[in-house]
Amino acid sequence: MSLFHCFLLRFGRNRVVNSFQLSHSLATLVDIPDYAKTLATRISNCNNLEQLDQIYAHIIRNHFLELYPAEFHWNNIIRSYTRLQSPSKALHVYITMSRAGVPPDTFTLPIVLKAIVLNYVVMVRQLHGVAVKHALDTNMYCESGFISLYSKGGDFENARKVFEQNTERKLGSWNAIIAGLSQGGRAKEAIEMFLELRESGLQPDDVTMVSVTSACGALGDLDLAFQLHKCVFQAKALEKSDLLMMNSLIDMYGKCGKMDLAYRVFSSMKERNVSSWTSMIVGYAMHGYVRDALECFRCMREAGVRPNHVTFIGVLSACVHGGMVQEGKYYFSMMKNEYGIAPMLQHYGCMVDLLGRAGLLEEARGTIEGMPMKANVVIWGCLMGACEKHGHVKMGEWVAKHLQQLEPWNDGVYVVLSNIYASNGMWEEVRRMRAIMKETKLAKVPAYSLSTSSD
């Protein structure tokens, strides 16, 4: 019996396929392989989630994946859901694929791992087991994917195990472990791994250098920064991406406090994108070069480069350092109204800090109360520091209640509140604070204090 006759017996002669405007009748499906090819193309070209849902629903209703159980079609659907930022649906399709008895191929698991990267869930070990079962664990895409996932989940022990199991690992696995360590706050280990990479004989690429320079910036090691700068030029000689690496150099020098060198790199660039400008602005703001940060932002806008939410964190931070309240309000409004960027916690934190330092405590309180999300301990800490700086008792007590709810174990709030009472000569309240700390026997966490900005 031909494939076409199987199709007719399964679906009936009069059934019409039109769930997603394909509008193919059975008369047009005499050549089933062509139909499968058309369907695969539709899935690959799908540019919105609703349309993809309709296509997938059509496939389920018509049992297409039973007729064509090849891994390619499953992979295509999973990839498309991942591409459209719907990781949960991508994982659901993979689970359905597994239950249908279709084994993964060398493309399936890397795609699924990307879905988990978008939304980390506790199934990486299960997928790792599947990879081992099907002898896919040493596939370079699977290997780098598992290293990245374990690192993102903070499981560096398993990340290293995956990395070390393959003695013939490719550059992608090196990049995954270096990036994982760098992003996970293990900058020194990331640098050490980079040195091992150099000793292995492999040449780093732009991805490697971005991770390593980021780790160097976290360490603030200027001597190392100079050495890495040379490595960047070696990577450029291999015709790797220039823009990405040059941006990483700007970021590295900025974090090391060498804005003159950051500017030298920036000015030598033939092409600059939003990351290039933002790295300069954030670097200037971080080290208190307020006017330079705002002038850089002005030039960025004149160049026609659209700022993003990170750019405005840098701009607002510069305003905080310079005590520029009106300018801060202006840029905050510009971000929302001119560029349509919804403020995040960091933006609100800058505004609360800016208003608080200027003594505009009621306005800072109004900003917190008007936030669409709950304030975190950093934002409350900024306002608490402002209360300490200006000796505002009533506001300090109000903020202290919120901090106690968020971190009941942290005695920093009692210390700051005690200082506020002392600045107002309220010695009875100072003694009460000390008594509370003594009675509750709150243990001070080593090297931890309340995040305030009382300077």
Side-chain angles (χ1 to χ4, degrees), residues 80-102:
S80 294
Y81 272 122
T82 302
R83 175 171 50 81
L84 295 175
Q85 305 293 304
S86 183
S88 58
K89 291 184 179 180
L91 296 176
H92 176 77
V93 175
Y94 168 71
I95 293 170
T96 305
M97 174 184 178
S98 300
R99 289 174 177 172
V102 180

Side-chain angles (χ1 to χ4, degrees), residues 14-28:
N14 297 321
R15 188 160 190 170
V16 178
V17 181
N18 60 4
S19 301
F20 54 99
Q21 298 181 340
L22 285 179
S23 300
H24 288 302
S25 68
L26 290 176
T28 66

Side-chain angles (χ1 to χ4, degrees), residues 317-344:
S317 296
C319 293
V320 171
H321 280 292
M324 305 168 72
V325 176
Q326 294 306 316
E327 289 84 348
K329 291 180 179 180
Y330 170 72
Y331 290 122
F332 189 74
S333 175
M334 175 193 293
M335 177 181 68
K336 294 188 297 180
N337 300 326
E338 185 173 339
Y339 291 102
I341 299 174
M344 301 170 66

Side-chain angles (χ1 to χ4, degrees), residues 124-261:
V124 59
R125 286 189 177 87
Q126 295 176 345
L127 279 175
H128 197 172
V130 172
V132 172
K133 178 181 178 182
H134 294 281
L136 296 171
D137 54 319
T138 55
N139 170 272
M140 62 178 180
Y141 298 110
C142 290
E143 186 174 280
S144 60
F146 282 119
I147 292 170
S148 295
L149 272 180
Y150 278 128
S151 298
K152 286 179 182 293
D155 191 350
F156 293 102
E157 182 179 353
N158 273 320
R160 282 185 174 273
K161 284 182 180 178
V162 175
F163 175 77
E164 292 168 357
Q165 72 179 358
N166 186 1
T167 56
E168 298 181 359
R169 61 187 75 93
K170 304 296 183 183
L171 182 60
S173 296
W174 285 97
N175 285 345
I177 192 68
I178 292 171
L181 292 169
S182 178
Q183 295 167 9
R186 302 191 174 203
K188 187 176 180 181
E189 294 176 52
I191 299 297
E192 291 171 352
M193 192 62 70
F194 171 71
L195 296 177
E196 288 185 32
L197 165 64
R198 296 294 301 274
E199 291 175 0
S200 74
L202 289 175
Q203 291 295 328
D205 62 5
D206 55 338
V207 177
T208 322
M209 297 314 303
V210 168
S211 298
V212 176
T213 51
S214 177
C216 178
L219 293 174
D221 190 332
L222 189 58
D223 290 335
L224 177 61
F226 291 143
Q227 296 178 44
L228 291 178
H229 197 151
K230 295 178 182 178
C231 293
V232 165
F233 280 111
Q234 290 173 359
K236 282 177 62 180
L238 297 174
E239 297 184 357
K240 297 294 183 180
S241 172
D242 184 29
L243 184 60
L244 191 63
M245 288 189 290
M246 299 303 277
N247 285 344
S248 72
L249 285 178
I250 296 171
D251 182 66
M252 176 183 70
Y253 282 130
K255 288 177 179 175
C256 290
K258 298 298 293 183
M259 290 309 298
D260 57 332
L261 296 178

